[in-house]
Amino acid sequence: MENKDIKTVLVLVAMEAEALPLVNILDLKEDVPPRIAPPAPAVSYTGEKHGITIHVVRNGKCQLHGVDNVGTVPAAVTAYLAVHEFKPDLVISVGTAGGFKARGAAIGDVFLATAFANHDRRIPIPGFDKYGIWRIDAVPAPKLRDALSLKEGVVSSGNSLDYSKEDWDQLHANEAAVKEMEAAGISWVAHLHNVPFLALKSITDIVDGDRPPQEEFLENLHAAAQALQRVIAPVLEFVAGKSTKDL
Ligand code: ADE
């Protein structure tokens, strides 16, 4: 892992509703002409704050269905293209997620990731089994966690808002505090490029609660996006100019 001073930060976000409050609070401008060329649907926004360059990149909309491109595949493609275009010193995946109350999560909390894993890649062949789960540590950021009073835990990714019995078992094996749909894919891209990687996830729904996730998600999306809006500027101010070993 490189320990360069942080001068360029790439913030990756799946949904427009999650990205726009960040773009507004950071006073970023959409890159026109696009810095990530079509047919990639990603949309990028750039600006300077706290003496560093910040890029927020969202995955854009699905041409066929008109909704945001969510899930690990668009997340990894966007991450790959954005890392090449913006050459960041730090990548942060920011978005909403389900949280486990058994691991201290409540709606509106913002979690800092300690590690990333998959819970829906089941390949019961020696070697491929561990590859499927993947699991890699986030760059340690205990000072950032304490400075912003963030909760922390393992972020586990899959391509469904709900979960099967097999997903549930792997979520527990992963010791997941947070369940979402992008971070593990991005962690693979960050690892390929040797770029430090963090994630901040705001909780919209309780995975080990009794309500359907889609109901809670839609109810709490706005509040969770506002929670991310509140933490993003202090997080960027904290990391600006520091070496990753001082996070
Ligand atoms: N995003 C928000 N809530 C989620 C959940 N329960 N699972 C996956 N992604 C989510």
Side-chain angles (χ1 to χ4, degrees):
M1 188 73 62
E2 294 180 52
N3 269 320
K4 289 198 291 185
D5 288 351
I6 297 166
K7 297 199 187 72
T8 301
V9 178
L10 171 62
V11 175
L12 295 171
V13 188
M15 296 177 67
E16 188 173 27
E18 298 164 330
L20 292 187
L22 309 184
V23 167
N24 285 337
I25 200 92
L26 298 170
D27 199 22
L28 309 181
K29 299 282 170 280
E30 185 172 339
D31 294 316
V32 182
R35 299 253 324 245
I36 299 182
V43 181
S44 69
Y45 307 82
T46 296
E48 306 280 324
K49 194 125 195 136
H50 311 301
I52 60 172
T53 303
I54 298 158
H55 305 281
V56 169
V57 182
R58 62 179 173 91
N59 287 340
K61 303 281 177 181
C62 172
Q63 275 190 354
L64 293 182
H65 301 285
V67 298
D68 295 298
N69 288 304
V70 298
T72 55
V73 172
V77 171
T78 299
Y80 197 99
L81 294 168
V83 166
H84 276 253
E85 177 63 23
F86 297 120
K87 313 226 171 338
D89 305 309
L90 177 69
V91 177
I92 313 179
S93 166
V94 175
T96 55
F100 284 84
K101 65 174 190 268
R103 295 196 183 272
I107 286 168
D109 284 345
V110 178
F111 271 73
L112 180 67
T114 53
F116 306 99
N118 294 291
H119 55 258
D120 67 351
R121 300 204 314 184
R122 293 178 286 281
I123 317 171
I125 299 171
F128 287 96
D129 47 3
K130 287 200 176 68
Y131 159 79
I133 296 160
W134 168 246
R135 193 172 182 106
I136 193 162
D137 285 342
V139 61
K143 294 180 186 141
L144 173 66
R145 176 200 62 208
D146 293 348
L148 290 174
S149 303
L150 301 170
K151 293 185 178 175
E152 68 174 7
V154 176
V155 172
S156 190
S157 306
N159 279 286
S160 298
L161 188 66
D162 66 0
Y163 53 81
S164 67
K165 151 113 184 49
E166 290 80 5
D167 293 344
W168 178 257
D169 291 344
Q170 191 59 49
L171 280 158
H172 283 276
N174 290 347
E175 303 179 319
V178 174
K179 171 179 178 285
E180 51 77 90
M181 300 175 67
E182 282 86 23
I186 300 170
S187 75
W188 177 64
V189 174
H191 175 69
L192 286 178
H193 293 87
N194 202 28
V195 183
F197 180 48
L198 291 177
L200 293 165
K201 298 286 160 173
S202 175
I203 304 304
T204 48
D205 52 276
I206 299 301
V207 184
D208 50 349
D210 47 21
R211 292 189 58 199
Q214 60 275 24
E215 252 179 54
E216 273 191 311
F217 173 76
L218 292 171
E219 214 170 278
N220 297 314
L221 174 60
H222 182 66
Q226 282 183 326
L228 292 171
Q229 190 184 35
R230 274 194 301 280
V231 301
I232 193 70
V235 165
L236 292 169
E237 185 173 3
F238 185 92
V239 304
K242 288 201 171 69
S243 161
T244 47
K245 65 178 178 351
D246 296 327
L247 300 180

